[in-house]
Amino acid sequence: MQISTEPHNPTALRVIRTARQLFMQRGYRAVSISDIVGAAEITKPTLYYHFSDKEDLFVQMVLHVLQELHTHMAQVFVPLTDTRSKLIALIQMMLDSPNSDLRVIRQEAREQLSARQQARVGYAFQEHMFIPLRDLMAEGLERSELTGHSADELAMLFLGFLEGFHYQNEQHSFTEPQFPKPAFTTITFSPTTLVRIFLHGVGT
């Protein structure tokens, strides 16, 4: 199964970036092809030259987001040597990345995409997010900076932890009932605090 995409030309990239903003702000079902071509200032034939349909565009957008996050993750890790610092940098990177809420992306993919396209997104998520994070956890275990769980378990725990707090810097305006606005969105945590909680819990 193909996971990654070939580099997009400037027009296709403009469409992807426009669609990304609209999909993340409104939700998949609330965005039409007409909305996208209007915001991107292109024609429908131009869009359909690059993408077969709305589902294909959404998938290409998700793959682009995951590849972008993967690249940024590698970059922020370069000057860092310990697991704690890398986890803090990863959270800061995610909070600073506009329209990159993985919780929303995964839910939208699960709710809106065909089984084949869901699998494609799932493999891409594993390649670009889970495996690099699992490798980071494995390094932490080897240096005795982490303990108590396998690298796979720690990666899954951290991803769930991260997704649970990513909303704090995201501004969504979904009208669909499956996206209720949390009642506690005024609560924010710094990346350092989140990593401290992840590593040490909240007990005395």
Side-chain angles (χ1 to χ4, degrees), residues 98 132 181:
K181 186 175 182 180

Side-chain angles (χ1 to χ4, degrees), residues 4-41:
S4 302
T5 58
E6 295 297 323
H8 295 285
N9 65 38
T11 300
L13 274 177
R14 184 165 80 250
V15 175
I16 286 174
R17 288 167 179 159
T18 301
R20 175 179 179 176
Q21 182 175 8
L22 293 176
F23 283 139
M24 295 300 293
Q25 289 179 345
R26 303 181 190 175
Y28 180 87
R29 293 174 63 182
V31 177
S32 68
I33 289 295
S34 296
D35 294 331
I36 296 169
V37 299
E41 299 182 337

Side-chain angles (χ1 to χ4, degrees), residues 80-87 136-148 154 198-200:
L80 306 174
T81 58
D82 64 287
T83 303
R84 179 178 177 276
S85 296
K86 290 182 179 180
L87 292 177
L136 172 60
M137 297 301 182
E139 292 174 4
L141 289 168
E142 290 177 3
R143 293 195 294 262
S144 298
E145 296 172 339
L146 303 172
T147 187
L154 288 169
F198 176 77
L199 293 176
H200 306 294

Side-chain angles (χ1 to χ4, degrees), residues 18-19 57 90 94 104 107 116 123 144 147 185-187 202 204:
T18 301
L57 173 55
L90 175 57
M94 293 297 297
V104 170
Q107 182 167 338
R116 176 181 174 277
Y123 279 111
S144 298
T147 187
T185 52
T186 56
I187 301 174
V202 292
T204 57

